[in-house]
């Protein structure tokens, strides 16, 4: 069940994307704010009968992602990574030994460098100081690190070293003094953690790697599909559901499809299962929603 609240921390555009996604995911919808205070845009969002019809479709089948890359690690948390050094970025400033000895805490997010689920992936996570972690009821070694005199960042959990991958993500590997990807240095002046001599620094902001867009779809009772093109990136982009994407719907590349825009309430011609592109989808959580039906 999902409750829609009108919090200022999300934009009206993000509200609409949220509504699109929950409709495709077949979630029951409830409003939990004073409807008298809704803006005209918000009122239009939550009273769109075509999108509500998708949510209420009789087949009751939940939607799923048709294309797009994972935005986080396999365990569902942002990967730690390095980015080009910029001393003006607060997200690249790190405090050592706070709130606990060995903790490495980001000055911007206040999250700690953490070994995810006591495995080998290194993530950012809220600093845990009570109740224990994955390593035990009174253990916090997955959050504790040592920067050795030889310039290696060593996990107190496994005595393995933080190692930068070719994709600039960070994981644990056996310490090797000859591995340049395990070389680190810390500047007390800028509070930056630098990786080797390649001009890269430990970056505390969430990394969305690769293509940041997704296409989600839900089959409807009449055989049509509702599609949501979602853009969590920072800039407007074109998002394509190609032939592989459409194959998940059962439409092959030669299938002719009529296209209905569920927000402008207009019929937008035809396409085929070979591909459809949503143009100029806004960044920062923008979306585009259509219904495609065999023509």
């Amino acid at each position: 069940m999902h409750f829609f609240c009108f919090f200022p921390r999300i934009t009206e555009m993000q509200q609409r994307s949220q509504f699109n996604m929950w409709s495709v995911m077949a979630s029951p919808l409830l409003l939990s704010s004073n409807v008298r205070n809704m803006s005209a845009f918000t009122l239009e969002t939550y009273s769109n009968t075509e999108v509500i019809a998708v949510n209420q479709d009789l087949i009751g089948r939940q939607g799923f992602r048709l294309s797009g890359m994972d935005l986080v690690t396999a365990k569902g948390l942002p990967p730690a990574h390095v980015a080009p050094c910029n001393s003006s970025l607060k997200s690249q400033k790190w405090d050592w030994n706070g709130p606990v000895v060995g903790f490495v805490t980001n000055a911007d997010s206040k999250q700690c460098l953490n070994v995810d689920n006591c495995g080998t992936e290194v993530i950012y996570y809220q600093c845990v100081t009570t109740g224990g972690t994955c390593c035990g009821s009174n253990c916090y070694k997955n959050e504790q690190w040592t920067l050795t005199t030889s310039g290696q960042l060593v996990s107190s959990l496994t005595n393995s070293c933080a190692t930068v991958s070719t994709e600039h993500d960070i994981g644990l590997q056996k310490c090797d003094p000859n591995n340049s990807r395990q070389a680190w240095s810390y500047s007390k002046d800028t509070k930056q953690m630098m990786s080797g001599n390649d001009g890269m620094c430990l970056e505390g902001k969430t990394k969305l790697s690769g293509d940041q867009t997704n296409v989600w779809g839900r089959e409807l009772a009449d055989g049509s599909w509702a599609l949501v093109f979602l853009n969590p990136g920072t800039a407007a982009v074109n998002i394509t559901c190609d032939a592989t994407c459409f194959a998940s719907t059962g439409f092959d590349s030669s299938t002719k499809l009529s296209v209905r825009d569920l927000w402008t309430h207009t019929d937008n011609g035809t396409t085929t299962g070979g591909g459809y592109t949503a143009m100029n989808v806004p960044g920062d959580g923008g979306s585009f929603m259509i219904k495609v039906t065999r023509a």
Side-chain angles (χ1 to χ4, degrees):
M1 181 174 293
H2 190 72
F3 295 81
F4 289 101
C5 302
F6 315 135
F7 295 126
R9 64 174 177 261
I10 65 172
T11 66
E12 289 184 321
M13 178 186 67
Q14 291 166 348
Q15 287 177 2
R16 184 160 292 184
S17 295
Q18 183 185 53
F19 192 62
N20 287 342
M21 286 300 300
W22 283 102
S23 295
V24 163
M25 296 307 290
S27 171
L29 306 176
L30 287 174
L31 293 175
S32 60
S33 294
N34 191 335
V35 296
R36 296 174 299 178
N37 295 334
M38 282 195 273
S39 69
F41 187 96
T42 298
L43 178 60
E44 180 187 19
T45 294
Y46 297 133
S47 61
N48 185 326
T49 56
E50 293 195 69
V51 177
I52 292 172
V54 170
N55 175 266
Q56 299 292 304
D57 188 74
L58 293 177
I59 199 172
R61 185 166 295 167
Q62 189 177 57
F64 57 94
R65 187 173 58 187
L66 302 176
S67 71
M69 297 181 66
D70 290 335
L71 306 180
V72 292
T73 68
K75 296 182 179 66
L77 294 167
H81 64 283
V82 295
C85 293
N86 184 339
S87 60
S88 66
L89 293 179
K90 195 174 181 181
S91 59
Q92 289 189 3
K93 297 185 183 298
W94 298 87
D95 296 315
W96 276 85
N97 298 322
V100 174
V101 173
F103 279 33
V104 183
T105 308
N106 187 258
D108 188 26
S109 68
K110 306 304 180 185
Q111 292 183 320
C112 283
L113 205 60
N114 185 303
V115 180
D116 190 14
N117 201 31
C118 294
T120 59
E121 292 178 334
V122 180
I123 61 170
Y124 313 120
Y125 196 69
Q126 64 188 46
C127 303
V128 180
T129 59
T130 60
T133 65
C134 55
C135 61
S137 59
N138 194 32
C139 177
Y140 306 95
K141 289 185 177 181
N142 61 314
E143 302 174 274
Q144 293 175 297
W145 304 83
T146 300
L147 184 61
T148 67
T149 55
S150 60
Q152 289 177 308
L153 185 60
V154 181
S155 167
S156 298
L157 179 70
T158 61
N159 292 321
S160 300
C161 284
T163 308
V164 180
S165 73
T166 55
E167 291 78 26
H168 299 148
D169 294 337
I170 301 171
L172 292 182
Q173 293 184 12
K174 183 179 179 180
C175 294
D176 178 357
N178 298 315
N179 188 343
S180 62
R181 293 186 175 276
Q182 294 180 354
W184 297 89
S185 61
Y186 180 72
S187 170
K188 292 183 178 179
D189 294 330
T190 65
K191 293 189 173 184
Q192 288 174 296
M193 179 70 76
M194 292 158 282
S195 167
N197 297 310
D198 58 0
M200 305 293 278
C201 285
L202 185 63
E203 169 70 79
K205 289 194 297 186
T206 299
K207 175 189 175 186
L208 299 179
S209 59
D211 183 358
Q212 299 174 16
T213 63
N214 277 222
V215 181
W216 294 75
R218 180 184 179 187
E219 184 180 9
L220 304 178
D222 64 357
S224 63
W225 279 74
L227 305 180
V228 174
F229 298 75
L230 187 65
N231 180 17
T234 58
V237 294
N238 299 337
I239 304 175
T240 298
C241 182
D242 60 15
T244 301
C245 169
F246 269 112
S248 297
T249 68
F251 298 137
D252 62 35
S253 60
S254 63
T255 304
K256 188 175 180 180
L257 303 167
S258 60
V259 179
R260 174 77 175 176
D261 187 322
L262 300 188
W263 285 101
T264 62
H265 308 292
T266 56
D267 295 321
N268 290 1
T270 60
T271 188
T272 69
Y276 178 85
T277 299
M279 306 298 292
N280 203 34
V281 179
D284 196 25
S287 65
F288 180 76
M289 188 173 186
I290 61 173
K291 183 171 76 170
V292 292
T293 308
R294 291 181 186 271

